[in-house]
Structure formats: C-alpha cells, structure tokens
Amino acid sequence: MNPISRKTIEKLASMGPRFLPFADVATADIPLSRLLRLSLFQVSVGMALVLLVGTLNRVMIVELGVSASLVAVMVSLPVIFAPFRTIIGFRSDTHRSVLGWKRVPFIWKGTLIQFGGLAIMPFALLVLSGGGNSTQWPAWVGQAGAGLAFLLVGAGLHTIQTAGLALATDLVSEESQPKVVGLMYVMLLVGTVLSATAFGAALADFSPARLIQVIQASAIVTIALNIIALWKQESRQRGGVAPNADAPTFRQAWDSFTEGGKAIRRLTVVSLGTMAFSMQDILLEPYGGQVLHMSVAATTKLTAVLAVGGLIGFGWASRVLSRGADPFRIAAYGAWVGVPAFVSVTAAATIQSPLVFCVGVFLIGLGGGLFSHGTLTATMNSAPANQRGLALGAWGAAQATAAGVAIAIGGIMRDVVGRMGLIAGESGAGGYAFVYAVEIVLLLATLAAMSPLVNQSRRVAHA
C-alpha cells in the first residue's frame, strides 16, 4: 500500500466513533485500518455495479440505440447466478482447502471471473457500436458477447461479495458482526460514489473508444483492489485442513436456517422491497437523458447521488440500530421514504425539472439504505454462529435475484407501455411513469408483509 493510502486510512481510523458510525467495531487485534483495507473488495464490486447498472445501460439505450428490453435482460443476466449465493455462503462455511484457507479461494476465483467479464466487454461493445471492422459481424455476436460479459461480471461480484462478507464477520466478535457487515456495505456505497464520479468525468466527452478505455481500466483496478484487500486477512492453517466428515449437508443446514418459517418471511420481505427499489435501476439514466435531456456525464453522476443517499441511510440506520432500535422498523421507514421518492421522480417529467429528479433519486438511495441495513441486521441477528456465510448468502441471493428480475421486468414494461401508448406522457415519459407507479405498489406490499415482523418485535420488547 502506498504512503498516501496508508496515511488516509490511519487518519480515518483516528477520527473515532463520533464521526465514523462503525469505528467501534475495531479492536486491538483487528484495527479499523485492517477492516477498511478488507472493504476494498466492496469498492471493486461498487465499481462493477456502476458500470453495469449505471453507465453501460444508458450508453447502450441512448447512444448505441439498443432496446431497453434487451438491455434490461443483459443487466439482469447475473440473476441467473444470484441464487447460488446461498450455496457459496454455505460452501465457504464448510470449505477445507489444502492451502489452509476457507474464504480466500472463493474471493480470488470471483475476482478472476469478474476480470474475465470486463476483459470481454470492450470487444462486445465495439461490435454493438459498429466501430472498426465490427460491421463484418452480425448483430447477435455483439449482443451475445455483451450478455456473456455481463453474466461473468455478475457471477464474479456475487462470489466476491458473499465470501468477502463472511470473511469480514470471521474477523470480529459475534456481537460486532452486524456492524462490520454494515461497514462493508457503506464502503460499497463509497466505491459507487467514487466510481460514478470518476466515470462521469472520464466520459464527459463521450466516445466509444473512451468508454472502452474506462472498462479496461476498471478491470485492472479490480484485480489491484482485491489483492490489497485480501493480503494477510485470513489466517492460514499450515498443512491444509482435512475434510470434515461430520459437516452438515446443504439441505440440513438450510432446513435448520428456515426452521419456524420466520426466515422465509424475512426473505420474502427482502425480495419485495428490493424489487420495489430496483425496478428503475436501468431506467433512471435513460429517463434523465431522453425525458429531461441530461448529458451522459450528468446522468452518470446520478449514480453518485443515489449512493450518497444510501450512504446517509446506512449511517443513520447504524446509529439507531446500535442503540437497540428494531431493525424491521428501520426497514419500514425506508419503504415509506421510497413512496415520495418515486412520486418526485415521476413529477420531474411533468415540470421538466432535473432538480426535482435529483431529489427523488437521492430519496430512493436514502430509503434503500434504510431498508437494506434494517433487513441485513435482522438477518445477522437471527443467524446461528456456524451459519454466517449461509445467512449472508441467503440474504444476498434474495436481494440479487429480486433485483435482477425487477430490472428485467422494469425494462420490458417501459418498452411495452411506451409503445402501446397506454399512458400518455410528453417526451416518452409514459412508460417510465408506469414503472415508477408499480414500484410504489410494491413498497406498499412490502410494508404489509413486514407488518407482522414489526409487531412481533414490539411484543417481544414489551414482554
């Protein structure tokens, strides 16, 4: 690590709990600087998400003229791999490596898979854009290549994130595990903000060649960040670890995790809420470009606005949860914040106000941050000590699967409603407005599904 980075981390670590909500998770054995270094894997994940959900979808829809339905399907392709997060978490709980590691092999394999996707992506986009000699290739080659690249990047980041979060919880005491996972997700948002800002600046003068350079740089940065993050984090058991014949099967571990039905309701709430906050993920930037006539650089920075809102939501949720607040109540607050957020985004088209649009985007991030931290903390609080990876994997699988399905449905609905003219709207805003209305309905359904969990927590508190 270079001296500037080391001094920055030491400065952050010295600020104390007053300014850093997660500073109290550190101990003498596990200083905050070490946790912040580990969290760099989340920065690489955030960078990939900005590319997939932010920059590339707007470029393909607006600049390259690819239909929103096709782009939505491409962006949602990682959902194919998302359900395997539960198995990855379970396997990283029980893995026995000849090198003496449990989590590191999964994180490193995920890094290589993500790098492979980013390596393929520039060539696929070159074919899609018709640049160079790419006109000799049929259109489906570019579409298939882009789909494969999206799938590999998604599979890699799912693997990295699941095993990385499990490793983070391994390093701290049981009572600090929800806090350290919260810290990791805050760093994900920080990485999203920094990446969106950097991409926006790099693409201020947009060209396909400049976009390819940005993707190639992202691939190199991904490898570098994850190597730094993993360096001397997981303790090695010399001589390797022999397979454990008494380890439970995945089915046995899953049955234990879902016993009583509460876990299923929690995962249902996570799925509904995530769909509500994610259906517009690939539509915000095209909406800003097509309806509000914002530039590529301006719409890319919307991802940063969204992430700042999420960062504030995570920070505030962490503060109140550390004082004993009900995590499901915090998640419910997030769902309620989402309702005026989508109303603001819809109203921005009517009054042609980018400012109102940005306020709505910020509130979406704020509500999503509250909801995510609340449901994540509830999941961690209910997880048995030997099922950290499984619990995080189940939460991540529900969230990622719901997000992927919602993104695909959102893009398709936008195209179908817009082309059929079912909703009148200037500048083609009708299809977008329909999607935002559906998201409001999903938020209300989330609140209804969450109500028994909130009421149950209240009864336990009064008992």
Side-chain angles (χ1 to χ4, degrees), residues 9-24:
I9 290 178
E10 289 174 354
K11 182 65 176 177
L12 288 171
S14 66
M15 292 175 67
R18 181 179 177 185
F19 299 103
L20 294 173
F22 301 100
D24 56 348

Side-chain angles (χ1 to χ4, degrees), residues 137-374:
W137 296 89
W140 68 264
V141 173
Q143 296 168 359
L148 176 62
F150 275 62
L151 179 61
L152 289 175
V153 172
L157 69 87
H158 286 316
T159 304
I160 293 168
Q161 196 172 58
T162 302
L165 292 175
L167 174 57
T169 60
D170 289 342
L171 297 178
V172 298
S173 61
E174 187 172 348
E175 59 272 14
S176 297
Q177 288 168 10
K179 294 180 182 178
V180 77
V181 173
L183 170 62
M184 294 297 128
Y185 267 88
V186 165
M187 292 306 294
L188 171 67
L189 295 173
V190 170
T192 302
V193 172
L194 295 177
S195 300
T197 303
F199 292 161
L203 296 173
D205 297 322
F206 175 79
S207 69
R210 180 66 62 87
L211 178 63
I212 288 172
Q213 291 173 346
V214 168
I215 297 172
Q216 291 172 332
S218 300
I220 296 173
V221 172
T222 294
I223 290 286
L225 287 178
N226 288 353
I227 289 176
I228 295 172
L230 288 179
W231 188 256
K232 293 185 178 181
Q233 291 286 5
E234 185 176 18
S235 299
R236 249 187 97 199
Q237 297 189 28
R238 296 190 180 278
V241 181
N244 183 4
D246 297 329
T249 64
F250 174 74
R251 182 57 183 268
Q252 291 171 335
W254 179 254
D255 288 343
S256 174
F257 177 71
T258 58
E259 187 177 4
K262 296 178 183 177
I264 298 300
R265 179 173 283 274
R266 286 194 299 268
L267 294 177
T268 300
V269 168
V270 171
S271 299
L272 284 173
T274 302
M275 288 186 71
F277 281 109
S278 301
M279 194 170 285
Q280 44 67 39
D281 270 359
I282 71 156
L283 300 180
L284 284 180
E285 294 200 29
Y287 179 75
Q290 292 182 336
V291 179
L292 299 177
H293 312 294
M294 300 170 68
S295 66
V296 173
T299 55
T300 296
K301 291 176 182 177
L302 287 173
T303 306
V305 174
L306 188 73
V308 168
L311 182 60
I312 293 174
F314 256 94
W316 183 75
S318 174
R319 192 175 187 85
V320 297
L321 288 170
S322 65
R323 298 175 179 175
D326 175 18
F328 282 113
R329 185 169 296 280
I330 300 302
Y333 291 157
W336 280 118
V337 169
V339 174
F342 289 114
V343 171
S344 298
V345 169
T346 305
T350 303
I351 62 178
Q352 284 294 297
S353 173
L355 177 60
V356 173
F357 178 46
C358 289
V359 170
V361 171
F362 172 81
L363 290 177
I364 292 173
L366 178 64
L370 293 172
F371 178 81
S372 296
H373 201 338

Side-chain angles (χ1 to χ4, degrees), residues 29-46:
D29 295 330
I30 310 294
L32 186 60
S33 59
R34 180 176 173 183
L35 293 175
L36 288 173
R37 181 165 62 84
L38 175 61
S39 69
L40 291 177
F41 79 85
Q42 285 284 68
V43 176
S44 73
V45 170

